[in-house]
Amino acid sequence: MPAYFRFLTLMAFHVFLQEKVDLAVVEVGIGGAYDCTNIIRKPAVCGISSLGIDHTSILGDTVEEIAWQKGGIFKRGVPAFTVLQPDGPLAVLRDRAQQISCPLYLCPPLEALEEGGPPLTLGLEGEHQRSNAALALQLARCWLQQKDYRGIGELKVSRPSLLRQMPLAPVFQPTTHMRHGLRDTEWLGRTQVLRRGPLTWYLDGAHTASSMQACVRWFRQALHRRPRPSRGSEVLVLLFNSTGDRDPAALLKLLQPCQFDYAVFCPNLTEVSTVGNADQQNFMVTLDQVLLRCLAHQQHWSRLDEEQAGPEPGEPTSSLLAPHPPEPRSTSSLVFSCISHALLWISQGRDPVFQPPSPPQGLFAHPVAGSGAGVLREAAAIHVLVTGSLHLVGGVLKLLEPALSQ
């Protein structure tokens, strides 16, 4: 029996062939060179987005090593595109492409495609999505060109350029269909906002240093634009988990500037019971192991909290957004055994959609849980950032949006 991801890959290819799909967009699982998706001998086109540090135990500890792995998807004679990267990994991608005889092009920024026309509207928030959109447009145009479709976007007058010893991809006028595609794109669990009464849920499955930086920028910008309640306090809550070989301390440190009032940690399990929860079971780890990891996350958070400069004697210690919060803030963090229990405490029955049965007896017996429950019940607005793991975000969405899994 193949491993789980390999099994899903084989099943996917089988379904695509049976259904005679016109086009399959295949994203690698981990890396590229040795990934099980990399059995396609002659894809139409290849693309590599912004590189970051992830899966270091498999791919290597440096961005250059990871770039070598990513370049493994290049194929002889098959056009490939990438976005602007730091010089080191970009040189690795260029060398890999030359060795394989793969024509590699650098995508011009989205601004170059907007010149002489209306600005492009993106359905996805975050400045980093402009880089992704520039790459997506080049990949789409390349495929359409190969299929001799009309209306692939008129080329703009531009001088051929060898930027950083790499040819620049064509600068063209995006078509109406391309504009609508960028505008209407939705991506559940990535910079997603759910507004429910006094609660606003901010969902982003960031799990690398670079994606977490982008997540924090987006979250802080969203808070800056939020409507302010005329009276009452606002509370900031972090719901976090991290898995695999990622460095949770580094990710949590990036989240510190958000000044959360409560940090909540839990495993990627919607319920403690495995009944009706089979799709989230991971037989490689036990419940004890994932709970110990959550406790380690809480310890990292407390340590980072202590490292932050404390206030001068006599100064208020609260980071609640209201001018007169109900009580001063201390290092407030909690660990729950599943996502459902964490959401029960955070929402305090105030989310009009998430209305589970009464909580288990003693669930909120911890002093922080007890005092925090009062703060959350009285707050005029509660802003919750869910991040650190795509599986955590998926579990939260399963509970907050039940229709998605029906």
Side-chain angles (χ1 to χ4, degrees):
M1 183 68 181
Y4 181 62
F5 189 83
R6 291 184 182 185
F7 172 73
L8 290 183
T9 304
L10 288 167
M11 187 168 67
F13 285 142
H14 171 70
V15 171
F16 295 164
L17 290 166
Q18 290 291 107
E19 296 298 319
K20 299 179 173 58
V21 299
D22 299 309
L23 170 67
V25 181
V26 181
E27 182 186 9
V28 300
I30 296 176
Y34 307 117
D35 190 75
C36 60
T37 60
N38 199 26
I39 61 170
I40 303 171
R41 294 189 180 95
K42 198 172 178 63
V45 60
C46 296
I48 292 180
S49 58
S50 297
L51 296 173
I53 299 287
D54 197 15
H55 302 294
T56 52
S57 62
I58 300 172
L59 304 181
D61 296 320
T62 68
V63 188
E64 286 76 13
E65 289 176 318
I66 291 171
W68 188 92
Q69 295 279 356
K70 297 285 186 181
I73 66 170
F74 294 154
K75 303 291 183 289
R76 178 184 295 274
V78 173
F81 297 85
T82 189
V83 295
L84 195 60
Q85 316 271 5
D87 288 342
L90 196 62
V92 172
L93 291 177
R94 183 196 63 213
D95 293 345
R96 283 281 267 165
Q98 289 174 350
Q99 291 163 7
I100 298 170
S101 298
C102 162
L104 176 63
Y105 303 92
L106 193 63
C107 295
L110 211 55
E111 290 78 10
L113 276 60
E114 290 176 317
E115 286 179 12
L120 294 164
T121 303
L122 304 189
L124 302 179
E125 290 196 51
E127 190 61 28
H128 58 292
Q129 295 297 355
R130 292 183 64 81
S131 166
N132 291 336
L135 177 61
L137 287 171
Q138 294 291 345
L139 298 177
R141 187 180 188 279
C142 184
W143 185 81
L144 291 168
Q145 194 174 31
Q146 290 179 32
K147 298 297 177 183
D148 294 324
Y149 276 89
R150 293 181 180 179
I152 61 173
E154 288 185 23
L155 284 177
K156 296 185 177 182
V157 178
S158 61
R159 291 177 299 174
S161 170
L162 283 172
L163 185 62
R164 299 171 191 247
Q165 292 77 52
M166 192 180 295
L168 199 64
V171 177
F172 63 93
Q173 183 79 47
T175 66
T176 302
H177 286 100
M178 291 175 180
R179 289 179 174 276
H180 289 171
L182 293 178
R183 182 196 66 195
D184 299 338
T185 297
E186 293 181 356
W187 192 355
L188 299 182
R190 281 293 196 187
T191 61
Q192 183 182 1
V193 180
L194 293 174
R195 292 184 175 86
R196 305 283 191 73
L199 285 128
T200 306
W201 304 89
Y202 303 82
L203 310 171
D204 192 275
H207 52 273
T208 66
S210 54
S211 62
M212 188 61 75
Q213 287 170 329
C215 169
V216 168
R217 280 196 301 272
W218 160 72
F219 178 62
R220 297 183 77 179
Q221 288 169 359
L223 284 180
H224 185 70
R225 297 193 302 262
R226 76 191 183 282
R228 308 291 178 102
S230 55
R231 55 193 303 176
S233 65
E234 293 186 274
V235 184
L236 292 185
V237 181
L238 169 66
L239 179 57
F240 179 91
N241 192 35
S242 177
T243 61
D245 59 0
R246 299 178 178 92
D247 182 357
L251 298 180
L252 289 169
K253 187 165 186 174
L254 292 170
L255 287 158
Q256 285 277 306
C258 296
Q259 292 188 301
F260 294 100
D261 300 297
Y262 296 97
V264 178
F265 306 97
C266 70
N268 295 340
L269 295 168
T270 50
E271 308 287 348
V272 176
S273 168
T274 56
V275 177
N277 201 26
D279 60 335
Q280 286 190 308
Q281 287 186 65
N282 182 350
F283 295 104
M284 303 297 286
V285 292
T286 66
L287 180 59
D288 286 346
Q289 287 172 316
V290 294
L291 284 173
L292 283 171
R293 189 176 175 94
C294 290
L295 287 168
H297 293 159
Q298 184 187 37
Q299 289 168 357
H300 287 310
W301 183 263
S302 299
R303 224 170 0 252
L304 289 166
D305 222 31
E306 290 165 7
E307 288 171 6
Q308 285 188 320
E312 294 295 324
E315 285 189 7
T317 58
S318 174
S319 71
L320 290 167
L321 298 178
H324 301 292
E327 63 182 57
R329 174 186 180 273
S330 58
T331 303
S332 301
S333 58
L334 291 163
V335 173
F336 288 99
S337 56
C338 65
I339 297 170
S340 178
H341 291 175
L343 298 191
L344 270 169
W345 181 79
I346 294 168
S347 64
Q348 291 295 314
R350 302 181 71 190
D351 187 304
V353 177
F354 178 66
Q355 294 288 330
S358 300
Q361 191 173 3
L363 181 62
F364 304 151
H366 190 280
V368 172
S371 62
V375 173
L376 292 165
R377 279 195 297 268
E378 295 169 14
I382 304 164
H383 302 275
V384 189
L385 175 62
V386 184
T387 190
S389 166
L390 281 166
H391 294 283
L392 173 67
V393 168
V396 169
L397 271 175
K398 182 179 179 181
L399 295 172
L400 294 183
E401 295 276 23
L404 289 176
S405 52
Q406 289 176 354

